[in-house]
Amino acid sequence: MDDRNNPYSPGAGLRPAALVGRDTELQDWSVALDRIENARSARAIVLHGLRGVGKTVLLGDFHQQAEDHGWVSVMIEANTGRPLREALARALYPVVRELVRPKAGDKLKNALATFKAFSVKVDASGAWSFGLDVASAQGRGDSGELETDLSELIKDLAEAAQEQSRGLAILIDEAQDLSNDELKALCAICHQGGQRGWPFLLALAGLPNLPRELAEAKSYAERLFTYREITQLEQDAARQALTRPAAAEGVSWEEAALSYVATEARSYPYFLQEYGQATWNAAVGTTLTYDDARVGTVSGQAHLDAGFYRARWERAAPAQRAYLQAMAQDGDGPSQSGEVAARLGKTPTGVGPIRDSLIKKGLIYSPEHGQIAYTVPGMADFIARQPQP
Ligand SMILES: Nc1ncnc2c1ncn2[C@@H]1O[C@H](COP(=O)(O)OP(=O)(O)OP(=O)(O)O)[C@@H](O)[C@H]1O
Ligand SMILES: [Mg+2]
């Protein structure tokens, strides 16, 4: 069928035509917004899970919800190589500007001054203007110590937003790439904000090692956040992820085709989108048949191999590939690090640097001490499909 009407959306962070199976998380966020608006405390939310399960899309919905509530909301990505201070300053600038009113209240003036002082550390040329005469605040947001500066900035911004009956939401994707100091600062801010009742909410999304990184940053992190693991969809939701976008275009799925694709995709959101798209393209009529599904999954998988998997495979150096290959015996894992090292004829310490660099690249993570697993579902099968060296 015509690809121009194809309703599926495989890709990083692309909102699906039907966002299904995430009611719990959306509800968590909506309750948190409501609680803050009613001057009650609410925990920050941490979404963690493998590649392609839909963390970014969900965070995008959080952002949208916050804006729909009239909140000041920014969403940033932590893995761009920019420090958190810079990423935040740049993302906040347009929304802070948008707060400016001709008759700015005191809180707003304070916030603008603090923002300026905070941002001068990012870009001293000071291209941060607000159409108001604001001098940067001396001694607020500019000590150079991230935790202090960020906490002053968030406090002042949240209070300025409150002056306009709004809250402040900050959403950070790929948060596993934040440094230990940055995570520490964020924990401290959530802690203070909760105690002092700032109208502020934080949500983080990242790989499965994010909860552990937070716990290592601050011992009280466990009690500070609501942790939600984002996984494959439930079977029913997976079927809806396939049927609903098609139904909106007047196209239906044959039962056998639907079961086949949902099973082949193992209910992983990204794979459902990819296989759904390819099945649609393989079909000729307005019913997607079992034969279309067979053709679609083969071509969908070829597409994943050429993009989703290959992009990651090619980021690995030869020694790193050998390590990934040694893990593949355990399927989707987890593998015991010691065994992987033994398969390579090395000691665990000997392969330590390779293991660490793969973690840094976000290709593997350690689910528990002494264990290692792929962050990408289906990686072992992909490796098995590669020609052996
Ligand atoms: N709840 C959902 N229902 C249906 N499709 C979804 C859902 N969530 C995400 N998707 C689809 O899955 C794909 C991956 O989504 P997304 O980029 O948000 O995943 P991610 O967890 O952020 O992945 P990564 O770790 O690689 O950044 C997209 O094509 C998106 O349209
Ligand atoms: Mg993402």
Side-chain angles (χ1 to χ4, degrees):
M1 253 183 303
D2 195 341
D3 193 24
R4 276 172 295 195
N5 298 328
N6 199 312
Y8 298 97
S9 54
L14 287 184
R15 196 180 193 287
L19 179 78
V20 294
R22 304 298 186 215
D23 294 350
T24 310
E25 294 77 14
L26 290 168
Q27 180 72 9
D28 285 339
W29 183 248
S30 149
V31 168
L33 291 171
D34 286 344
R35 285 187 59 90
I36 298 278
E37 285 173 2
N38 293 319
R40 294 183 189 281
S41 64
R43 286 184 180 204
I45 296 181
V46 176
L47 307 173
H48 55 102
L50 298 175
R51 293 281 173 210
V53 289
K55 303 176 298 293
T56 300
V57 158
L58 201 48
L59 208 60
D61 258 45
F62 284 9
H63 179 47
Q64 187 60 50
Q65 260 194 57
E67 286 195 331
D68 291 348
H69 274 241
W71 283 39
V72 175
S73 178
V74 289
M75 177 160 163
I76 61 169
E77 214 179 285
N79 65 344
T80 56
R82 284 181 171 168
L84 180 63
R85 178 190 288 270
E86 181 178 344
L88 267 181
R90 294 194 188 283
L92 281 167
Y93 180 52
V95 298
V96 172
R97 273 186 70 114
E98 190 230 318
L99 276 175
V100 176
R101 303 278 182 276
K103 274 200 170 326
D106 285 346
K107 302 273 193 216
L108 180 60
K109 283 191 189 138
N110 284 344
L112 296 181
T114 308
F115 180 82
K116 265 201 155 172
F118 181 86
S119 311
V120 163
K121 291 254 175 257
V122 172
D123 181 357
S125 67
W128 314 92
S129 76
F130 296 104
L132 274 183
D133 193 14
V134 180
S136 65
Q138 291 294 315
R140 269 192 92 63
D142 63 352
S143 74
E145 217 242 324
L146 184 69
E147 186 171 318
T148 313
D149 293 357
L150 196 56
S151 116
E152 287 170 352
L153 177 71
I154 301 288
K155 174 181 186 288
D156 291 358
L157 280 179
E159 287 182 348
Q162 195 169 33
E163 210 173 40
Q164 299 179 8
S165 307
R166 309 163 77 181
L168 171 68
I170 293 184
L171 306 135
I172 308 181
D173 201 6
E174 302 286 348
Q176 76 282 342
D177 285 343
L178 292 169
S179 71
N180 186 263
D181 277 350
E182 292 169 341
L183 290 173
K184 266 198 177 91
L186 290 171
C187 289
I189 286 156
C190 286
H191 189 53
Q192 281 175 32
Q195 286 175 336
R196 301 185 191 162
W198 305 343
F200 167 66
L201 264 181
L202 176 76
L204 303 176
L207 291 176
N209 55 329
L210 177 58
R212 164 116 55 104
E213 291 195 355
L214 284 163
E216 280 167 11
K218 287 275 187 196
S219 57
Y220 58 74
E222 227 171 286
R223 287 160 283 147
L224 205 56
F225 301 107
T226 298
Y227 291 92
R228 293 285 181 213
E229 185 184 5
I230 308 302
T231 61
Q232 287 119 300
L233 297 169
E234 303 268 341
Q235 213 171 33
D236 197 43
R239 294 164 67 92
Q240 286 187 41
L242 292 170
T243 55
R244 279 175 38 189
E249 303 292 326
V251 172
S252 60
W253 282 78
E254 245 178 47
E255 172 53 37
L258 191 55
S259 308
Y260 185 74
V261 170
T263 307
E264 287 295 302
R266 290 184 295 146
S267 298
Y268 276 107
Y270 196 0
F271 303 167
L272 289 166
Q273 298 298 332
E274 198 72 80
Y275 293 180
Q277 184 182 63
T279 301
W280 174 287
N281 288 344
V284 282
T286 53
T287 303
L288 306 179
T289 66
Y290 180 69
D291 284 344
D292 301 334
R294 296 282 297 225
V295 175
T297 47
V298 171
S299 106
Q301 185 173 77
H303 206 240
L304 285 173
D305 279 5
F308 186 64
Y309 292 113
R310 182 148 308 281
R312 300 192 150 84
W313 187 238
E314 284 180 352
R315 279 175 54 209
Q320 295 173 332
R321 282 189 200 174
Y323 191 94
L324 293 172
Q325 218 144 17
M327 288 170 63
Q329 280 187 30
D330 304 308
D332 269 349
S335 303
Q336 302 299 324
S337 316
E339 269 176 41
V340 175
R343 285 173 200 158
L344 292 164
K346 302 248 169 72
T347 62
T349 346
V351 291
I354 298 176
R355 179 176 172 276
D356 292 349
S357 58
L358 283 167
I359 293 179
K360 210 169 241 142
K361 283 190 173 167
L363 291 168
I364 61 174
Y365 72 103
S366 171
E368 275 179 45
H369 187 71
Q371 290 187 345
I372 203 80
Y374 300 113
T375 55
V376 186
M379 192 71 194
D381 288 346
F382 167 79
I383 291 173
R385 287 195 291 276
Q386 298 314 295
Q388 293 306 310

